[in-house]
Amino acid sequence: MNSAGLSDRRGSSLVGRGREFGQLQTALEGALAGRGGLVLMTGEPGIGKTALAREFVEHAATRGAAWAWGSCWEGGGAPAYWPWVQVGRTLARNGDLANLGTALGPGAPWIAGLLPELAPTLGNPARASELDSDQARFRLFDALATLLATAAERQPLVIVLDDLHWADASSLLALEFVARVLPDVRLLAIAAYRHAEAHARPELAGPLSGLARAGTRLPLEGLARAEVGELAAARARWLSSGEPEPIPAPLVAAVHQASAGNPFFVDELVQLLAAQGRLHDAAAAERPLPLPDGVRDAIRRRLAPLEPHIMQALAAGAVIGGEVHLQALAVVLDEPAATGLAWLEGPLRSGLVAARGPGRFAFAHALVRDTLLEGLGANRRARLHLLAAEALEQTYGEDVEPHLAEIAHHFLQAAGEGGAERAVDYAARAAQRAVGQFAYDEAAHLYERAIAVGAALPADEARAWQLEQGLGEARMRAGDVDGALQALRVAAGRARRLDDPDRLAQTALASTLGAFSPGLVDPGLVAVLEEAMSRLEAVAAGDPQRRATADGLRCRLRVQLALALYWSPHRERREQLVDEALALARAIFSGQAARESQQQRILADRTLAFALAQGFVAVWGPDTVTRGLPISIEVLELCQRTNDAELGMQVRLWRIRLLLELDDPVRADEEIEAFGTTARRLGQPRMLVYDPLHRAMAAHLRGDFAAAERFTGEALAQSRDEPGSIAPIIADAQTFLALRAQGRQRELEALVRRNADRLPAMRRWRCGLALVLAELGREEEARRELEQLVAADFADVPRDAEWLVAMALLAELCALLNDRPRARRLYELLAPYEG
């Protein structure tokens, strides 16, 4: 059963529990067949144990099962066996009281003792003194098992014992006893409890161990981000009189992070945001989310009994972060590690804190930490952050690199306490590391924080350039092209004020990272590349020594300028720029400087790999296809040698296309598998979108149009979350091929017309539109399109990667329109590429 079917009547969906519901269903099927069992449902407060059990017993009722529910009480004072008393009363109300005594036999007095209101029917209760002995307890448990079995004989039965972490030990012992007879009766027992709190009570340790042996565990975890979005949307619908507008994705992500997927916390946050009018405001995700009173009060009740020194330790731990190193905590507290450990024993037992390994601890829930942080004044919190940063520096020592972001966070929070210089330094280093791990959004955030803190420091133009440059590169890789260009314009201005051609060149190159868009030429990009190249050439011409050190930048600028001009008519200039770039790259690769140090060798290898890979793309046309595979092999070897995974992925992209165009499906399939595996390993969503696109191409060549259409749909769905992706254009091209091959031209006209109008430099779309019109019988419209396309006798069709496709479409069009002279001319142009 999927989660969509799990909903309460308030309209708030019980989402994300399809797997767990399925496990309960399986257990129910066994019980209906006479093979009962025990399911131990565990999870933190608010995770949805009770909600899932409620939904399930209602489902069980539709399968013909009766159900009974017993809840434990947190407040104290409840009688022994209280959950069983509630279950027994339900069964008595629904049963045949006249025959109950007979069915229970010798056990009747014991049930009468458990349920005194049944004494008139069952006879005098067993004496209290008998219940104090092991023999008496056995007889009570046996009578309880008989009561349950009797009820299950009449009708299959589901019982739920909820909140067993508050139960008395005897109730758990009774459940352990009952579990032994379940395999022989039509009864499913569900025991729900908070694992940490139950195990923190020593008196429950023995019974819980017995239950673990007798039952099947069903732990409930936090919901995934998409499931939080479903739950929040359902709750919003219930709160709204009509259909509310969608909740922005960034806000869903913020709610997911703040709640850790806990449904109760999600519900509370959604209600509070709705009450504040912020539920549909994407900007709300940019600030810390408020902590709802219901959540805050629940956590405060758990914190209230703790002694001041324990609260001090927890507050320090809350500032340190989600995971706390005992050594760092001891430094912040200025206490021995043994003292810090002793102070955490109580929170560990109560489940507020959980062990994460030797000397490491974490709060059971992020909102526990948030509650503690709210209790700190701003000055004290900043001071603790500074202490935490210094403690973590000391704790990690030489192994600080993996923890740069953590330390940067603390220094950034302590900027007003004297940590500003170190905050900027650590944030920049952490951002650089994040870029290396393909965590571009995180890198951009770190650069933004560093820039904000650095603005209050004495002016340092070089540092300011580095931060803006880093921010631009990170945003560009994250797909935020507009934000990236904004940062890079600032960086370019700083480079000009510094009169530094190298920095200007780097800024210009960063502007190209997301700029190669099909069918478009960006005049602004071309201008900044031209300016950077001109300034660098002027410096190199006047200083031969400087010229040698600038060759790498000079090479890259030429390649990127050629790429920026790809959709222009200046093919000769592109070829010249690439030839010059390759000459520079080969000179660097074979030069003495490249052999002087490992770093210089890596730089030389990467420069050559870049020039070969991107240079090939910049001049890609019908006459270059056969050169592509040898180039790709050389580049991939260089990428492997230099560990340049990003360039390697880009090369595999066009290598797959080459193999498909050269009709080598076996090697293409191998490359497609390798590409998908690598993209998943590196965690690159912008690259992963090409995996289904490749599979669609391969399926189309096999004639499996259904699979091609399915893979194309997957790619389109993935690309919606990747701003600036060119995947939709490629997907449209594949849709065109697949639908046309199936004779579904009527579905194509709008698609090809849209692309023909917005991408005039990509002639394949205008050619495709003319062909579709002709195939639909609209010959006059098709001829008008053809006349515009061949006005220059095909000479103005750019000889780019699209040339063969465009000319093939035109050839089909001329054949359909019986235009023999133009068909003959096209045959002459295409003859060299036959086969």
Side-chain angles (χ1 to χ4, degrees), residues 223-225 227-233 235 247-274 278-281 284-290 292 365-367 370:
L223 303 178
R225 181 186 298 184
E227 295 161 349
V228 166
E230 264 188 85
L231 179 59
R235 188 60 171 152
I247 302 173
L251 187 54
V252 170
V255 170
H256 176 255
Q257 183 176 11
S259 66
N262 184 299
F264 169 66
F265 294 159
V266 172
D267 196 59
E268 291 285 325
L269 278 167
V270 169
Q271 289 191 71
L272 184 55
L273 288 167
R278 301 168 61 198
L279 187 56
H280 306 292
D281 180 11
E286 299 173 4
R287 302 183 295 276
L289 293 182
H365 197 282
L367 293 182
D370 290 346

Side-chain angles (χ1 to χ4, degrees), residues 2 25 62 320 494 523 529 571 580 622 699 711 716 728 755 825:
N2 62 38
Q25 271 192 308
T62 67
I320 289 173
R494 296 190 185 281
L529 287 168
R571 179 177 178 82
E580 291 173 1
F711 284 129
L716 282 170
N755 284 295
R825 176 60 179 149

Side-chain angles (χ1 to χ4, degrees), residues 130-144:
E130 293 179 278
L131 296 175
D132 293 336
S133 66
D134 289 340
Q135 184 180 12
R137 176 174 283 180
F138 174 87
R139 295 177 69 182
L140 170 63
F141 292 172
D142 184 60
L144 179 60

Side-chain angles (χ1 to χ4, degrees), residues 666-680:
V666 175
R667 280 203 294 172
D669 285 343
E670 292 173 355
E671 284 291 336
I672 289 170
E673 290 298 329
F675 179 91
T677 299
T678 305
R680 283 185 287 273

Side-chain angles (χ1 to χ4, degrees), residues 563-596:
L563 283 169
L565 293 170
Y566 186 83
W567 298 103
S568 76
H570 307 302
R571 179 177 178 82
E572 294 77 10
R573 185 163 189 225
R574 284 190 281 126
E575 291 175 342
Q576 179 186 352
L577 287 166
V578 170
D579 288 344
E580 291 173 1
L582 285 171
L584 286 167
R586 294 288 186 193
I588 296 169
F589 183 76
S590 59
Q592 179 64 32
R595 295 190 291 272
E596 290 179 0

